[in-house]
Amino acid sequence: MTDHRVAQWRTAPCGSGWVPCGRDWDAVAISPVLRGLNALTALRLSPRRGYPVLADHIGGVLYVMVPPGTGHLAAGVPGVRVLSTGAEVVVPWGPQGSPGAHWVSPPREDPPPLVRADKLGEVLRRLDADSSPARRAAS
């Protein structure tokens, strides 16, 4: 989060609203934000490609949108929560968003490309294993 972005949030008319999960996409909530960004980097998914990814800088959560009904494929990873039918996510209305709902990668197409939940889960597990104390001690 840059000083420029914070200044935009303070001065831009912005808003957000609740959007249901499970219809157009499921959301995989990853804590902390940097861990989720590292996973997207490992998957080589650039923010410029239009995969919908939201950051909640207040709560420290990154929300990665995956195809509806597939979020469970990323479940079971510590620090990961899956939001599907019956859940909602706060989405920014304007391009600037807010500290609680900011597009890290705004959707650019309709429908937008979605991250594969199975691949996201795999890379999170791999990153966790690579950063485990036992693994670091062995290297």
Side-chain angles (χ1 to χ4, degrees):
M1 179 169 34
T2 65
D3 290 339
H4 176 70
R5 174 70 59 202
V6 172
Q8 286 179 318
W9 287 333
R10 286 188 178 141
T11 60
C14 61
S16 56
W18 292 99
V19 174
C21 299
R23 185 177 53 210
D24 296 325
W25 37 258
D26 288 354
V28 176
I30 306 165
S31 297
V33 169
L34 183 56
R35 180 172 170 239
L37 293 174
N38 288 340
L40 294 176
T41 299
L43 287 168
R44 297 184 177 166
L45 299 178
S46 167
R48 286 173 260 168
R49 293 185 52 200
Y51 289 92
V53 177
L54 287 167
D56 172 356
H57 295 290
I58 296 169
V61 179
L62 189 76
Y63 294 92
V64 178
M65 306 322 178
V66 301
T70 68
H72 69 279
L73 298 172
V77 178
V80 169
R81 222 170 12 110
V82 176
L83 305 170
S84 191
T85 304
E88 296 179 316
V89 172
V90 175
V91 174
W93 291 331
Q96 304 307 327
S98 69
H102 166 69
W103 285 116
V104 173
S105 177
R108 301 195 195 295
E109 302 169 23
D110 191 18
L114 299 170
V115 175
R116 285 184 49 183
D118 59 338
K119 296 293 184 189
L120 181 59
E122 284 174 23
V123 80
L124 285 165
R125 287 179 186 89
R126 189 180 77 238
L127 291 173
D128 288 350
D130 289 349
S131 67
S132 73
R135 176 74 173 216
R136 285 194 309 265
S139 51

